[in-house]
Amino acid sequence: MRLQAGQAAPDFLRPDIGGKTIRLSDYRGRYLLLSFYRYASCPFCNIRVHELMQRLTEFDQRGLSLVAVFQSAREGILEYVGKQRPPFPIIPDPGHSMYRNYRVETSLQGLLLGLTLRMGKALKAMGKGFLPGRMDGSITLVPADFLIGPDGTILLAYYGRDISDHLPIEIILQQVGAQRAA
């Protein structure tokens, strides 16, 4: 069963690609966008990381931190996503334990939808140099995003409909703004 808004976010304690231990409690008092991606060479995933990096100033101004989770091993993440030098933690989870805890799903339909409906997005990603490479993990894994409040409660649980579908950035910013105003 999928996680829902209002539930406590499942705790985690994992090393990031730099070897630093990352835990959910590190983000108490801040908003956290916890994003689950496919594998490190996925063009859709890399363009999303790129888009998030372009908005970091806005996120920081709103007290929002980012943590990314990839099903790839550390080496694969460094080879592909790491080229962008994201200034936020990236957790490798090739054993899928965090994916299971957050109920992130696989979907053949999501793979087919993403490949057929999102060709423009794929071309944009490849135009920015995010070319497909080694697929280390399930190609049918569908992304998911969790906006977690300062108290560790899930504010938004977003399970993508296809392999390129993430929670829109504007909705993230609106939700954090509304929560801060309340």
Side-chain angles (χ1 to χ4, degrees), residues 61-119:
Q61 290 171 346
R62 288 175 171 81
L64 176 64
S65 296
L66 307 174
V67 172
V69 182
F70 278 84
Q71 64 177 335
S72 300
R74 176 184 181 272
E75 296 74 23
I77 294 170
L78 291 172
E79 181 180 352
Y80 294 101
V81 183
K83 289 180 182 178
Q84 297 186 66
R85 299 183 193 259
F88 48 84
I90 300 177
I91 298 172
D93 187 19
H96 295 103
S97 63
M98 286 185 68
Y99 287 85
R100 283 190 298 278
N101 288 343
Y102 278 82
R103 314 292 199 290
V104 180
E105 304 164 341
T106 59
S107 168
L108 181 57
Q109 180 181 357
L111 171 67
L112 297 174
L113 277 173
L115 292 175
T116 56
L117 298 177
R118 310 284 188 178
M119 190 51 64

Side-chain angles (χ1 to χ4, degrees), residues 28-60:
R28 290 280 181 189
R30 289 186 61 86
Y31 294 90
L32 173 65
L33 178 63
L34 179 62
S35 293
F36 288 83
Y37 296 90
R38 299 174 69 225
Y39 48 85
S41 71
C42 169
F44 295 124
C45 302
N46 278 282
I47 196 73
R48 172 63 173 204
V49 169
H50 176 76
E51 291 166 352
L52 291 173
M53 288 174 58
Q54 303 304 306
R55 309 290 291 268
L56 286 176
T57 301
E58 288 176 85
F59 296 153
D60 194 51

Side-chain angles (χ1 to χ4, degrees), residues 1-10 32-34 36 102-104 143-149 153-160 166-168 171-172 175:
M1 185 181 301
R2 290 180 170 183
L3 299 178
Q4 298 179 8
Q7 291 180 293
L32 173 65
L33 178 63
L34 179 62
F36 288 83
Y102 278 82
R103 314 292 199 290
V104 180
D145 295 301
F146 300 89
L147 181 60
I148 301 169
T153 300
I154 297 172
L155 301 175
L156 290 173
Y158 187 87
Y159 292 89
H166 281 275
L167 182 61
I171 291 176
I172 296 165
Q175 182 71 28

